[in-house]
Amino acid sequence: MLKKFFMNMLSSFVGAWIALVLFGVVAVMVGIGIVAKMGSSAAENTNVSKGSVLTIDLSGVIEERETPLDLDYISLLQKDVSRPQTLENLVLAIREAAENKNISAIYLKCNGVSARLATLNALREELIAFKKVGKKVIAYGNYYTNADYFVASMASHLYMNPGGQVMLQGIGGTSLYMKGLFDKIGITFQVVKVGTYKSAVEPYILNEMSQPARAQLDTLYNNMWLYVRESMADMRKELTAENIDSLVSRDFIFLQDASKAVKAGLVDKLVYERAMDDIIAKHIGRDPKKLSFVNPSVLVDQTDLASSMSAKRRIAVVYASGEIVDGGGNGTINYEKFVPLITRLADDDNVKGMVLRVNSPGGAVFGSEQIGEALDYFQSKKKPLVVSMGDVAASGGYWISCCADKIYADPLTITGSIGIFGLIPNAEGLIDKLGVSPQLVATNPQAEFPSLYKAMDERQLAAMQKYVERGYDKFVKRVAKGRKMSEEKVRVIGEGRVWDASSAIRIGLVDEFGGLQSAIDWVAEKANIEGKYNLASYPEIETSFWNLLPELEGMTAEESMAKFINDNYELLLVRFAKSVLGKKHVQAMMPDVDVRFLEVNPN
């Protein structure tokens, strides 16, 4: 038995060393590719020939902004090295295409894009602006998902594969309620919160959604769907918003033959993809043999992406994307890095104003408060501060937004969720099942409070409730001050409730609709630097080896690594458990409202 144990342990060490060696081999291979790519970049020079077409591949995830890849050798073993497209780069490419005389059209290849609704709407609005300069947008899909079609519905010409479908289904989201799971493994959660609608804790303590939670989501989804269907109908003259609802609910259009989509006015014509080159060439008056396609990165490389960080008359665009955390890595808002950044920008005389681009569901109360105070310091320097809300700016995300001089939101932004909760796990049942008996020796009864191994008593629970209520009072006072409304009104519209942007404007949480450019223009006007400013984006993206991963000989870095590595380690459950147990006990976090279009798998 002992021999078997040592053999297993030895094999684990050997496996780890083999993985590290593979990691080194792959790193060298990728490094060689990087050098080759860098060496050839000057020769390519990415010139855009006359009559070129910008191709945008609507597939995969679209994120707000590029972030540094945070990889280790286990990530390589999982082949998890892909980088998603970003809204920032797509917008830059579309704007450059509108101004570039050599770009004649945009070709949307719809292949199943995945993004939240405000991101899709921002992309769609940029494409509409592109059309207004007199250039065409041509869309094609073997099939159109809800998200694809929402974006592509604005196209000048809409084509689809004869074997395809337009899978319009509406908006929705599924929340997994996990009390039954935690009951089985012996973990319970004690909750302290403020806000009837503060439902982020529900999946841990209930088996089904509460009525307040369901009511707020029902209102949210319906308001957002109303905007989406009207937007699509505005661009497809054969359609009305009522027609779209009928096609979805009565006709099951997402299951119908492609010819039904043409008859309904959803698409213009059915063609196979091989015909698209000839069709595009005809639309722009070019010879198909001389047709040239360019991807967004080519145009982004030709833009003045962001002026030097030391340029004078700067507007700082600061991206606050992800969960607000006390510490944390890429893809989060780490106050320990964020606060010094804001302070530095406040003290920099060349920075004339700031646009805070918020895309956050909230997070740690302490981190939210620290960032809010740093933003107050920025404003104390008499510099304009405006917030541009992305997909979501709720709970802690609203905490850091509410005191800005002006707040813009996309019509499909989710915001509000003014509330705080505490979620304290208790693993007493689990350790009992495992036969473990914790023994505490301490000078005071509260030395280990809250404890993972023992439920809180009534006195402890009451103390924790007061702690959370004090945090909520701070939140309410901050919103009241920033939005110039009474605390009583804030408490009425608070209660942890999430709001769509239209409702948020109506109740005073947001000033008006507008995208990132609207916010930039506002700051420039207030700082009296219209037409004379430079843009700089923060936090600065730290260049690392992983950010230089190129495409190697027609393969992505992911595919090239897959040639060497075939194992697939399943770490999702471990990561999930770690994320749940590793959170701070007290959070200003909205419920998990990952609003997306409902989809049918076309395959």
Side-chain angles (χ1 to χ4, degrees):
M1 194 73 180
L2 189 62
K3 179 180 178 182
K4 184 176 181 182
F5 169 76
F6 281 115
M7 289 299 291
N8 287 338
M9 185 172 68
L10 180 61
S11 66
S12 297
F13 279 123
V14 170
W17 279 108
I18 290 173
L20 285 170
V21 170
L22 284 171
F23 172 76
V25 170
V26 172
V28 170
M29 293 294 293
V30 174
I32 292 171
I34 290 172
V35 172
K37 201 78 171 180
M38 292 174 68
S40 64
S41 61
E44 291 176 6
N45 199 19
T46 61
N47 286 326
V48 178
S49 59
K50 187 176 181 180
S52 293
V53 176
L54 170 62
T55 301
I56 295 178
D57 183 8
L58 287 183
S59 66
V61 175
I62 298 177
E63 293 188 348
E64 176 78 14
R65 185 183 186 228
E66 186 175 326
T67 57
L69 287 173
D70 188 10
L71 297 178
D72 52 29
Y73 81 92
I74 293 178
S75 299
L76 286 175
L77 291 172
Q78 290 185 292
K79 312 180 202 56
D80 185 16
V81 293
S82 58
R83 281 190 291 180
Q85 297 186 87
T86 67
L87 178 62
E88 181 183 35
N89 282 351
L90 288 173
V91 167
L92 282 168
I94 294 168
R95 289 182 180 176
E96 174 63 19
E99 296 177 3
N100 193 318
K101 295 179 180 179
N102 290 331
I103 297 292
S104 298
I106 289 178
Y107 179 31
L108 292 180
K109 297 184 70 173
C110 299
N111 292 307
V113 67
S114 176
R116 287 180 181 256
L117 272 66
T119 291
L120 296 171
N121 193 49
L123 177 61
R124 189 175 187 273
E125 288 297 317
E126 288 297 330
L127 291 166
I128 291 172
F130 175 87
K131 275 177 60 178
K132 288 179 180 178
V133 303
K135 299 182 181 183
K136 293 184 177 182
V137 177
I138 301 160
Y140 180 84
N142 286 321
Y143 58 88
Y144 287 96
T145 65
N146 279 287
D148 291 335
Y149 191 79
F150 177 49
V151 177
S153 61
M154 53 64 56
S156 315
H157 306 280
L158 211 58
Y159 297 92
M160 188 172 72
N161 192 299
Q165 298 155 288
V166 177
M167 293 176 293
L168 285 178
Q169 292 178 265
I171 291 174
T174 299
S175 301
L176 298 178
Y177 277 57
M178 298 173 287
K179 181 179 182 298
L181 169 64
F182 288 116
D183 285 347
K184 289 179 181 178
I185 61 179
I187 294 178
T188 59
F189 293 88
Q190 289 180 286
V191 173
V192 286
K193 67 170 184 171
V194 180
T196 303
Y197 296 93
K198 200 67 180 174
S199 55
V201 299
E202 286 192 0
Y204 302 96
I205 61 173
L206 298 177
N207 287 317
E208 60 183 31
M209 192 176 290
S210 69
Q211 280 304 113
R214 186 173 294 279
Q216 73 166 341
L217 291 181
D218 186 59
T219 300
L220 181 73
Y221 293 162
N222 277 294
N223 287 347
M224 296 175 84
W225 175 241
L226 182 64
Y227 177 86
V228 167
R229 64 181 186 145
E230 288 182 348
S231 297
M232 293 189 294
D234 284 345
M235 290 292 167
R236 301 293 300 174
K237 299 306 179 184
E238 305 88 340
L239 292 173
T240 65
E242 291 73 21
N243 289 153
I244 292 173
D245 260 344
S246 180
L247 287 168
V248 172
S249 302
R250 187 194 66 190
D251 299 336
F252 293 87
I253 190 63
F254 50 91
L255 298 175
Q256 297 296 329
D257 182 81
S259 61
K260 300 287 186 181
V262 176
K263 185 178 180 180
L266 293 169
V267 298
D268 296 314
K269 193 174 181 180
L270 303 178
V271 298
Y272 288 100
E273 190 171 4
R274 65 174 179 270
M276 285 307 298
D277 281 7
D278 289 340
I279 291 172
I280 293 169
K282 183 177 180 181
H283 280 307
I284 64 174
R286 298 285 294 176
D287 183 340
K289 294 179 181 179
K290 295 181 180 179
L291 206 57
S292 175
F293 294 96
V294 297
N295 63 48
S297 63
V298 171
L299 294 185
V300 170
D301 288 343
Q302 297 191 356
T303 64
D304 183 12
L305 239 175
S307 300
S308 167
M309 297 299 176
S310 60
K312 295 182 178 180
R313 293 190 303 276
R314 249 179 300 148
I315 294 177
V317 180
V318 179
Y319 286 84
S321 300
E323 185 177 337
I324 299 171
V325 296
D326 301 345
N330 297 326
T332 62
I333 306 170
N334 180 357
Y335 88 88
E336 293 173 348
K337 294 182 178 179
F338 220 75
V339 168
L341 167 63
I342 295 169
T343 302
R344 176 162 55 89
L345 296 175
D347 293 336
D348 188 338
D349 291 336
N350 289 324
V351 174
K352 304 303 181 183
M354 180 196 297
V355 175
L356 182 66
R357 174 68 173 181
V358 180
N359 211 331
S360 173
V365 171
F366 184 78
S368 301
E369 185 175 6
Q370 301 311 301
I371 294 170
E373 191 281 330
L375 292 168
D376 293 344
Y377 175 71
F378 182 92
Q379 289 174 290
S380 75
K381 298 292 186 176
K382 307 303 180 184
K383 299 180 180 183
L385 169 66
V386 62
V387 162
S388 168
M389 293 180 169
D391 292 301
V392 57
S395 205
Y398 192 75
W399 186 310
I400 66 176
S401 301
C402 63
C403 285
D405 300 312
K406 193 175 184 69
I407 298 176
Y408 288 96
D410 186 274
L412 294 172
T413 293
I414 299 172
T415 189
S417 194
I418 301 168
I420 293 177
F421 68 87
L423 186 67
I424 300 93
N426 174 23
E428 193 172 6
L430 174 60
I431 62 173
D432 185 57
K433 289 181 180 181
L434 296 175
V436 177
S437 179
Q439 301 295 304
L440 172 66
V441 178
T443 58
N444 300 86
Q446 314 304 342
E448 193 181 40
F449 169 71
S451 171
L452 181 63
Y453 310 118
K454 186 177 180 181
M456 292 184 290
D457 60 32
E458 289 185 7
R459 289 179 62 248
Q460 292 172 329
L461 200 58
M464 182 64 81
Q465 181 66 40
K466 287 182 180 179
Y467 175 64
V468 169
E469 287 173 357
R470 285 198 302 275
Y472 183 64
D473 288 342
K474 285 184 181 180
F475 199 166
V476 168
K477 289 180 185 298
R478 182 168 181 81
V479 174
K481 175 187 173 184
R483 300 308 299 164
K484 297 178 176 57
M485 61 177 68
S486 68
E487 290 185 26
E488 290 74 18
K489 182 177 179 181
V490 176
R491 291 181 187 277
V492 170
I493 63 178
E495 290 287 327
R497 181 163 185 168
V498 293
W499 301 92
D500 62 277
S502 295
S503 299
I505 290 174
R506 175 175 53 81
I507 62 178
L509 294 180
V510 170
D511 291 309
E512 60 183 272
F513 291 141
L516 183 58
Q517 189 59 50
S518 298
I520 293 169
D521 292 342
W522 188 89
V523 169
E525 180 184 351
K526 290 298 177 182
N528 295 316
I529 54 174
E530 293 175 279
K532 315 180 276 191
Y533 63 84
N534 298 284
L535 285 179
S537 297
Y538 302 90
E540 300 170 51
I541 298 175
E542 299 172 3
T543 301
S544 69
F545 172 81
W546 305 114
N547 286 60
L548 297 175
L549 287 174
E551 292 187 358
L552 306 175
E553 299 301 324
M555 293 186 296
T556 64
E558 179 178 359
E559 291 167 338
S560 63
M561 290 175 182
K563 290 184 65 176
F564 297 95
I565 302 167
N566 295 313
D567 295 311
N568 185 18
Y569 291 86
E570 181 54 76
L571 298 177
L572 292 178
L573 290 177
V574 175
R575 289 175 178 172
F576 172 71
K578 182 180 177 182
S579 69
V580 171
L581 296 176
K583 287 183 182 294
K584 294 287 184 180
H585 294 314
V586 179
Q587 297 272 312
M589 175 77 81
M590 68 173 281
D592 184 17
V593 186
D594 187 8
V595 184
R596 295 180 188 268
F597 288 108
L598 296 171
E599 304 286 4
V600 165
N601 188 338
N603 298 317

